[in-house]
Amino acid sequence: MKTRKVRKKGSTMRALRRDISLWLFCVPGVVLTFIFSYIPMYGVQLAFRRYNAKAGIWGSPWVGLYYFKRFFESPYFASTIKNTLILSLYGLVVSFPIPIILALLLNSFRHKRYRKVIQTVTYAPNFISTVVMCGMIILFLSPSVGVINNVVRFLGGDPVNFMAKKEYWRHIYVWTGVWQGMGWNSVIYFAALSGISPELHEAAKCDGATKFQLIRHIDLPSILPTATILLIMNCGSILSIGFEKAYLLQNNLNLNVSEIISTYVYKVGLINNDMSYSTAIGLFNTLVNLVMLLIVNKTADKLSGNSLW
């Protein structure tokens, strides 16, 4: 028994020495993950303490689940959860299949030169910063100088203040996000499609398969595992909508639909200086995302056999 353990330990050390260069590549990622993901977990206890800056985290009194109860009983609880879920699910339903469709269409496009032009055009918006993007949206939709309203005036209509209409806000948020990210999000599907053997397409063409049949029976099944993994990861962040864009497009007239968890946490924690309350809300958000990730991962594993673990 001892001889077997010694041999196993020796083989492990030999494998470690053999792959030392590969392990060294992992060191920066492990260090950064530890610094920015694990060390900050020390501050999670703020959600269970009435934080006092003078006393510090450990010196602040323990209040248990007080801030969680406060959030659940808050008039903002139902509205922020509702707005976050609607915006997240709407974005997921719209933005998830479009990159797949774009990748499949461009992959079956014959003219490589035009395909590269289309790829470049669809990739470009991803490199526009969120602040600039929001500025462009507000400017384009302006009732006085906006391009959209100038077209409306030209057609004989009255200008519309889109950013003041809460019924338009979710559509503006989601579809501008689709426009900005669909090209970049399709890159991973192009990578999956590039791994398909050309012999499969050639054999299918010899059997008389059309383009649609090639996509349906060869391309789509080949990228389905990749799409499943990405869907699981997206569902795992169902309540973690980006703060910057929602906050920059927010105003008093659309606040009923634009106030989401991340913007509410910012206002409570940094503007109102209620650190413990905002930490409790953020921790609740993380726990919901974790539960969703586990449920979707288990469901995907049962239905398709593809999962994160």
Side-chain angles (χ1 to χ4, degrees):
M1 192 71 177
K2 290 183 178 180
T3 305
R4 185 179 299 176
K5 288 183 178 180
V6 171
R7 287 179 180 176
K8 186 176 181 180
K9 184 177 180 180
S11 62
T12 303
M13 293 302 296
R14 284 195 299 272
L16 181 62
R17 285 194 296 267
R18 184 182 67 246
D19 301 327
I20 186 66
S21 59
L22 299 177
W23 287 108
L24 289 175
F25 273 112
C26 299
V27 170
V30 172
V31 171
L32 290 175
T33 302
F34 179 76
I35 293 174
F36 292 105
S37 297
Y38 284 92
I39 292 180
M41 291 176 67
Y42 163 79
V44 169
Q45 60 181 303
L46 281 176
F48 307 96
R49 296 178 181 271
R50 183 174 283 108
Y51 179 65
N52 186 303
K54 184 181 293 187
I57 295 179
W58 286 106
S60 300
W62 185 269
V63 294
L65 300 176
Y66 167 76
Y67 289 107
F68 293 93
K69 295 178 181 177
R70 177 181 164 188
F71 179 55
F72 297 150
E73 296 171 356
S74 167
Y76 296 100
F77 173 73
S79 60
T80 53
I81 294 293
K82 175 186 174 183
N83 292 337
T84 306
L85 279 175
I86 291 175
L87 203 61
S88 184
L89 292 173
Y90 183 14
L92 182 63
V93 170
V94 172
S95 63
F96 182 75
I98 289 180
I100 299 176
I101 296 171
L102 177 64
L104 291 172
L105 292 177
L106 290 180
N107 186 65
S108 61
F109 202 59
R110 289 183 179 178
H111 303 283
K112 292 185 178 180
R113 181 179 297 178
Y114 295 127
R115 182 173 64 185
K116 290 181 180 179
V117 171
I118 296 172
Q119 286 177 318
T120 303
V121 171
T122 54
Y123 292 171
N126 181 74
F127 299 99
I128 302 175
S129 69
T130 304
V131 176
V132 174
M133 173 62 67
C134 292
M136 291 170 59
I137 294 170
I138 294 172
L139 184 62
F140 290 161
L141 299 177
S142 170
S144 56
V145 297
V147 176
I148 305 298
N149 276 304
N150 284 335
V151 174
V152 171
R153 286 194 194 92
F154 178 78
L155 296 175
D158 296 324
V160 180
N161 190 357
F162 291 98
M163 299 307 299
K165 301 284 186 180
K166 61 181 182 180
E167 59 267 24
Y168 295 139
W169 192 87
R170 290 188 180 119
H171 304 296
I172 293 170
Y173 182 95
V174 170
W175 286 102
T176 53
V178 171
W179 170 70
Q180 185 177 16
M182 66 178 181
W184 184 256
N185 292 334
S186 66
V187 170
I188 192 167
Y189 299 112
F190 276 117
L193 289 169
S194 65
I196 300 174
S197 174
E199 297 176 355
L200 293 175
H201 280 211
E202 293 173 2
K205 288 178 182 178
C206 291
D207 292 336
T210 62
K211 277 189 177 182
F212 178 75
Q213 290 173 329
L214 291 175
I215 293 174
R216 180 183 175 185
H217 297 290
I218 297 178
D219 294 342
L220 194 56
S222 299
I223 65 173
L224 190 59
T226 303
T228 303
I229 297 299
L230 292 177
L231 179 61
I232 294 171
M233 295 176 68
N234 288 336
C235 289
S237 57
I238 197 77
L239 292 182
S240 298
I241 302 176
F243 157 78
E244 297 89 351
K245 188 177 178 181
Y247 185 74
L248 291 171
L249 294 179
Q250 196 176 83
N251 58 53
N252 292 331
L253 297 175
N254 60 38
L255 199 61
N256 289 339
V257 295
S258 63
E259 187 74 290
I260 57 177
I261 290 178
S262 58
T263 59
Y264 182 61
V265 167
Y266 168 76
K267 293 174 183 177
V268 168
L270 294 182
I271 296 180
N272 297 340
N273 198 30
D274 197 344
M275 297 295 182
S276 298
Y277 186 39
S278 62
T279 304
I281 300 172
L283 182 58
F284 166 76
N285 187 14
T286 303
L287 291 175
V288 172
N289 287 334
L290 176 61
V291 171
M292 285 296 300
L293 178 64
L294 295 174
I295 293 173
V296 175
N297 184 72
K298 189 68 175 178
T299 304
D301 187 28
K302 288 187 176 181
L303 295 178
S304 64
N306 299 311
S307 61
L308 290 175
W309 61 83

